[in-house]
Amino acid sequence: MGCGTSRNAVATAETVVASPGIPDDPKPVAEDVDSEQEAESSLKVIHEGIVARGLTASALGPPVISSAEECMVLNCLPECLCDLHDGMPPAIQQTPMRLLKITPVLSWTFLKVYEEIDPVTECLQVPYVDTDDEIWKKVVTVSWRWSEQKPAVYQQGFSPMSPEQFQELSTLLKLAQENSVEYVWIDWSCVPQYAEDSMIEVHRSKVFYARARAMRVLPTFRPLPAEGPVRLILVKAKKVLSKRADAGSIRCAVAASIIAAILAKNLVAGREYFGRVWTLAERMARFGRNEGLCQWLSLESWLGMVVDAMLKSTEDKTSSVIYKKMLGTKAAGLLEAVLDPLAAAVRVGSVQARAAEGLETKVAELCMAAVSVWLSPSLLAEAPTSNWLHTYLGEEARSGVYQAWREADRVWAIYSYFCWKQNLDQRSAEGLRIALEDLVEIAAGERSIYVRGMFAQLRVDESATPVMEIVPQPGKQIRPSSSRSARPPSARPPSARTQEEIEKRKKEEEAIAAAAERRRKEEAALTASLERRRLEEEAAAAAAVERRRQEEAAAAAASERRKAEEAAATAAATARKAQEEAAAAAAAERRKLEEAAAAAAAERKKQEEAAAAAAVARKKQEEEAAATAAAEKKRQDELAAAIAAGKPTVGAKVTIKYATVDDAKSAQAGHGGWNGTMEKMLGKTGVVESVDKDGDVRVKMDDGSGSMLWNPSLVMLGGSPATVVLPSALSSARIGRNAALNDKYTVRFVANSTDVGAVQSDYPAPPSSLVYYFEITVVEPGSKGTIGLGFAHSSHNVA
C-alpha cells in the first residue's frame, strides 16, 4: 500500500511521496493564507469570540470546519488512503459500522460505552459498503487520549473520558452541528468494547478518519501544579503579552486571553496526545488535506499542550521532542531557551533565581509563536508512506517520540496502513515479529537501522529470519542482517575520532533508550497502580455485595417460612370458601341463562309487533300522502283554470307559487323560460304587468327584484306571500321497509339483514337557503351498525 498521488491525479512511474522531514520554520500566516491582513482578521474574530464567551467557556478559539462542498470525496484522497478502502476484505466491508447521532449525544451527561447505546434512537448502523460520500460529508471523527484505562470487565456508567473532556467534546459537537454535521464517530461508543472483538473495527476505522468531513482532537486535561512558581510564571507572561497587545499586537491579545483562561480554570491540556501511536494512526488518515492544527483542535487546547510539554521537559527533555518538530526551528529554539531557566525556577521555587532572569518574556514569545503555528498548515509530515515508515521504524523508534500502553501497539497501530492480514495473531510474540518483518520489507532500508530501532525497542530477536528478503534502498550498501556479524580481518579499524563519535552516539542512544525505558516503567507503574486500585475496589464491592446478598437471603428465608405458615393456615378456609362461591356462581349462572332466554323471547315478540305496526303505519302514511297529493293537484288545476278563465287584468295582485327550483324550471319550459334571478322570486308577491296571448303572466315583484314572464300554473291570485314550510319531523310516508318510527323524531332499524333502512323528513329544505343546518342524535349504535345522513331529492326511492 504505497502512497503518492490521489486517484484522479496522473502519476509517473516513480510516485513522488511526502518527505518525512520537518520544515525548518513555520511559514508566517500571511504566506499560508491570502494575506497577513486575513490572518489578522481571523485572530480578531477569535479574540472577539473569547471575550464574548468568557474565560471559563470550553474550547476557546474553536477549530474551523470546511464546508460540505469543500469536503474531499473518496476518489480525491491520496492513493494510499484509497487503497485502504479498495483493499478492505468483503467480509469486513459488509460488517455494520456505527455513527452516533449528535443530537442525542448532546443530551448525555457522560460518554456512553458501545454496549449502552440504543441502536435505534441514538445512532445510525449500516454496513460500511453502503456508505457514500454524502453520508461522510455529515460526519466528524474524534481522535482523543483516554483519561483512564478500560476495566477488564464491563462496569455500567464507566467512561474513560473525564468530565472536562466531555464538556470540550460537547462544545465541539455543537459547533459542528451548526455547520450541518449530523454524526460523530468516536471509538469508545462506536467500537465494541466488551460484546465482541474490537480489532477489526479499530483497524478499518482509519478509513473512517480519512473520509470524514472533519476530525476533532481531544487531549486530556490536568490541573496546574499546586506548588512552585509555575502559576506565577504564567501570570507574568500574560502581563508581557497584555502590554504588547495594548501596543496593537492581535496575536499577543489572543495569546494573553488563552493564558488567562488556563489560569481561570486552573486546567492545562496534556501534552501526551501527539506522542501516542494510536492518535498518530488517526492523524495519518488526514494525509493529503493540508489541514492545520486550527482545523483539528481548539487554540486553548494547543497552547495548553505546549505549556504542559514545556513544564514536563524540566524533568524529561524528551517530552518536548515532537513539539519542537511541530513548532519549527525558530519556535523550537524559543522552547529550548525556556527549559533551563524554567528548570532553575522550579528547582529553587522562585522566579527570582538568577538563571530564571527574563523567563516570563521567553514564555510570552513562545506562546505568541504557538498561536502562529496553530494558524499555519501542519508541520508534522506523518503520512502512510514507505519513506515515513523507514524513519518511524529506525531513528524515531530510538528517540522515543511515540509511546503506547503496550509496546507492541507501536507496530499494530500503523500496520493496517500497509498490510491486511486477518489471521495474524496480534497477541503473540510471533505475530508481532512477522508484522515487524512485513513493515521492514515495505520500508526497504538497511536492516541494521531497524535492529537498532524498532527491533530493539520491542525486544524482537535481531537475528530473526525475515519473512521475505529485505530490498535495500537504491545506492545504499547492503549490510549483514545481524548486528553481531564479525568484521573482516582486512578491515581497517575506525579512527580515534570516528570511534569517539561512535561512542558518543552510542551513549546518546543509550540515554534516549533509558529515558524511554523510564517512561515505560512509569506508565507501567501507573497502570499497575490503577489496576490494583480497580481490583481493590472490585473486591470491596464484591464483599459488600456478598454480605448484602447473605442478609437478604436470610431475610427472604424467614419471610418464606412465615408465608408458608400463613398459607397453610388459610388454605382450608380458602378452599371451602371457593367451593361455596363456585356453587353460588353456578346457581346464579343458571338463573341468568333462564332470564336471558325469556328476555330474548320477549324481544322477538316485541320486534314482530313493531314490524306489524310499522307496516300498518306505512300503509296509512301512503294513503294520506296520496290523498294530499290529489287534493293539491286538484287545487292547482282549479287555480290555473281560474287564472286562464279570468285573464287577470294589469295591476292585479298575485303571488308566485313557492316550488322547488327543478319544478319551477320544468313549468317554465315553453312559457318564457327560466332565469337565475327567478329563484329568489319564488313565494313572493307582485303586480301583473301584462298577460300574453298564450296566457303567460308578466309579474313585477313588490321587492323590486324585477319583472318576469311566468307560467300561469305558478301564479296564484292574491297578495299574501307564500309560507315557506320547513322540515320539522320525520316523514311517515317517506320511509323504507327496513325502518320504523318509534315517534315522529325517532327511527329504528327493524330488519335482521345486511340491507339498509332509510327515512326522509316531512318537508324538504328550502331551496332558497344557501346553508341549511340539521343534526341527529345516535341513541343506540348497535354492535356493527353504521349511520349516514345527507340530502336526497324528494323523488328518491327510500324503499
Side-chain angles (χ1 to χ4, degrees), residues 45-63 167-168 171-172 175 221 254-265 294 297-304 374:
V45 171
I46 292 170
H47 188 256
E48 290 170 358
I50 295 172
V51 172
R53 296 177 61 204
L55 297 179
T56 57
S58 58
L60 292 177
Q167 183 179 4
E168 180 96 353
T171 299
L172 296 177
L175 295 172
F221 294 91
V254 171
S257 297
I258 296 297
I259 295 299
I262 291 173
L263 291 168
K265 299 173 187 174
C294 63
L297 74 166
S298 68
L299 179 56
E300 181 184 7
S301 292
W302 163 243
L303 205 55
W374 182 77

Side-chain angles (χ1 to χ4, degrees), residues 98 100 108 110-119 121-122 154-159 188-189 193-195:
R98 172 177 289 184
L100 297 182
W108 296 353
F110 65 96
L111 186 65
K112 293 183 181 181
V113 71
Y114 179 94
E115 287 73 15
E116 293 176 352
I117 292 173
D118 186 341
T121 62
E122 295 183 317
Y154 168 73
Q155 294 181 10
Q156 185 175 6
F158 172 83
S159 173
W188 179 249
S189 303
Q193 301 296 328
Y194 297 99

Side-chain angles (χ1 to χ4, degrees), residues 26-27 29 32-33 39 42-43 45-47 50 59-65 172 216-217 251 254 258 274 291-306 326-327 331 366-379:
K27 295 180 180 179
V29 176
D32 292 323
V33 294
S42 299
L43 290 170
V45 171
I46 292 170
H47 188 256
I50 295 172
L60 292 177
V64 298
I65 186 170
L172 296 177
R216 291 292 172 259
V217 167
R251 279 183 177 77
V254 171
I258 296 297
F274 284 105
E291 292 177 336
L293 295 171
C294 63
Q295 291 161 304
W296 288 353
L297 74 166
S298 68
L299 179 56
E300 181 184 7
S301 292
W302 163 243
L303 205 55
M305 296 162 86
V306 172
M326 297 171 69
L327 291 168
L366 174 61
C367 292
M368 189 173 67
V371 171
S372 296
V373 171
W374 182 77
L375 281 169
S376 304
S378 177
L379 298 179

Side-chain angles (χ1 to χ4, degrees), residues 758-779:
V759 63
Q760 289 185 325
S761 60
D762 52 356
Y763 291 100
S768 59
S769 298
L770 296 178
V771 177
Y772 186 78
Y773 171 80
F774 67 96
E775 64 181 27
I776 67 167
T777 300
V778 178
V779 178

Side-chain angles (χ1 to χ4, degrees), residues 252-489:
C252 290
V254 171
S257 297
I258 296 297
I259 295 299
I262 291 173
L263 291 168
K265 299 173 187 174
N266 197 41
L267 281 178
V268 64
R271 72 194 180 283
E272 300 91 350
Y273 170 84
F274 284 105
R276 308 301 295 184
V277 293
W278 285 111
T279 55
L280 160 69
E282 292 159 0
R283 291 195 304 275
M284 288 168 62
R286 306 300 290 180
F287 172 64
R289 295 175 182 265
N290 197 34
E291 292 177 336
L293 295 171
C294 63
Q295 291 161 304
W296 288 353
L297 74 166
S298 68
L299 179 56
E300 181 184 7
S301 292
W302 163 243
L303 205 55
M305 296 162 86
V306 172
V307 169
D308 188 51
M310 175 186 74
L311 297 177
K312 185 62 177 178
S313 294
T314 60
E315 305 171 9
D316 180 5
K317 288 196 174 184
T318 60
S319 300
S320 60
V321 171
I322 194 165
Y323 286 90
K324 290 178 181 178
K325 290 186 175 184
M326 297 171 69
L327 291 168
T329 303
K330 184 177 179 180
L334 294 174
L335 176 57
E336 184 65 30
V338 166
L339 299 184
D340 289 339
L342 178 60
V346 171
R347 183 175 63 255
V348 177
S350 172
V351 295
Q352 297 181 17
R354 180 171 298 180
E357 184 177 354
L359 177 58
E360 63 270 23
T361 302
K362 293 182 175 66
V363 173
E365 290 175 348
L366 174 61
C367 292
M368 189 173 67
V371 171
S372 296
V373 171
W374 182 77
L375 281 169
S376 304
S378 177
L379 298 179
L380 283 174
E382 298 168 329
T385 66
S386 58
N387 280 6
W388 175 86
L389 183 62
H390 175 79
T391 304
Y392 176 77
L393 296 178
E395 60 187 60
E396 287 194 344
R398 299 193 300 275
S399 69
V401 172
Y402 301 109
Q403 301 295 320
W405 284 107
R406 296 187 314 130
E407 289 296 329
D409 285 347
R410 297 165 71 181
V411 170
W412 298 123
I414 55 97
Y415 183 72
S416 61
Y417 273 117
F418 303 95
C419 307
W420 277 105
K421 282 188 177 180
Q422 292 180 256
N423 299 323
L424 196 58
D425 185 0
Q426 298 183 4
R427 294 175 177 82
S428 69
E430 178 61 17
L432 176 62
R433 185 190 67 80
I434 293 173
L436 186 53
E437 294 283 7
D438 292 340
L439 296 178
V440 164
E441 180 174 351
I442 293 169
E446 296 179 0
R447 183 177 178 81
S448 61
I449 294 176
Y450 310 123
V451 169
R452 294 195 307 272
M454 194 66 77
F455 275 78
Q457 290 293 315
L458 300 182
R459 298 179 178 83
V460 174
D461 182 8
E462 66 187 47
S463 62
T465 303
V467 176
M468 298 179 69
E469 181 182 358
I470 298 175
V471 180
Q473 290 181 328
K476 292 191 176 182
Q477 181 182 0
I478 300 178
R479 298 187 180 180
S481 61
S482 172
S483 62
R484 294 194 295 265
S485 300
R487 186 172 65 247

